[in-house]
Amino acid sequence: MHLRQQDKGLASTFNSSTNKITMFAPVNAAFSQNIFKGESDTNGAKTLQQLLGNRPDAVNPIIGYNILPAIYSVADMTAGKSLVTTDTAKSGNSVQGVPQTLTVNVTSNSGSTVQLKGIGNSANILQGDIPACGPSVIHITDSALLPLVFAESPSTSPVSQQG
């Protein structure tokens, strides 16, 4: 996925070699998982890959929700901790229902497994503490964290619920 020039907020996050970020990077299979509760969909999409293809305005909020504007190692992610994500909601996204303050909650950290709870779903860190360019870190996850819960009733726009 590339960031288009007109996208606001994230390009400057990625283009700086001094920004300290933590990124949750989902495995490839995460893009083909059903992201909807029940049988609903939006614009004919049932997977993250289809959604991003049909709704380019959803790219920034979803990527931004998987980025923290600070460095968090696996050891820093203790159960009950709330992590503020990159705030793309104030940076020009047009997806209805995205809250202004986006957080990810650490629901458990057994030392070998960290589970994260987002607004729309949960994800497990499969491999953590991978050094990245600049003073940053990447954690490989089994799902892309979603800043939205998609409606169960037929609708053309996602519905957000703080979870």
Side-chain angles (χ1 to χ4, degrees):
M1 241 178 288
H2 72 49
L3 298 174
R4 298 177 314 272
Q5 191 66 20
Q6 69 270 24
D7 290 338
K8 297 179 177 144
L10 292 177
S12 63
T13 298
F14 288 121
N15 289 336
S16 172
S17 62
T18 59
N19 283 350
K20 296 177 182 180
I21 64 170
T22 298
M23 176 183 274
F24 300 120
V27 295
N28 288 339
F31 292 92
S32 58
Q33 294 171 351
N34 185 347
I35 60 172
F36 295 91
K37 308 285 184 194
E39 297 298 318
S40 299
D41 63 2
T42 184
N43 293 353
K46 291 191 183 299
T47 67
L48 185 57
Q49 182 175 3
Q50 292 169 341
L51 175 67
L52 296 176
N54 293 347
R55 295 284 309 268
D57 58 330
V59 172
N60 266 9
I62 292 171
I63 292 175
Y65 193 59
N66 287 269
I67 299 171
L68 309 175
I71 296 176
Y72 292 96
S73 69
V74 168
D76 294 331
M77 294 185 208
T78 55
K81 189 168 198 158
S82 183
L83 308 169
V84 176
T85 66
T86 303
D87 187 6
T88 60
K90 295 179 185 171
S91 301
N93 91 62
S94 61
V95 175
Q96 281 187 305
V98 177
Q100 289 294 310
T101 301
L102 303 173
T103 61
V104 172
N105 296 305
V106 180
T107 55
S108 68
N109 185 342
S110 65
S112 60
T113 304
V114 175
Q115 185 176 50
L116 306 165
K117 171 98 173 92
I119 294 170
N121 64 337
S122 295
N124 295 303
I125 293 179
L126 303 174
Q127 183 179 356
D129 298 334
I130 302 167
C133 297
S136 299
V137 65
I138 297 172
H139 304 295
I140 305 297
T141 59
D142 61 356
S143 292
L145 290 164
L146 300 174
L148 303 165
V149 174
F150 293 92
E152 292 188 33
S153 61
S155 174
T156 58
S157 63
V159 175
S160 174
Q161 300 170 353
Q162 197 73 21

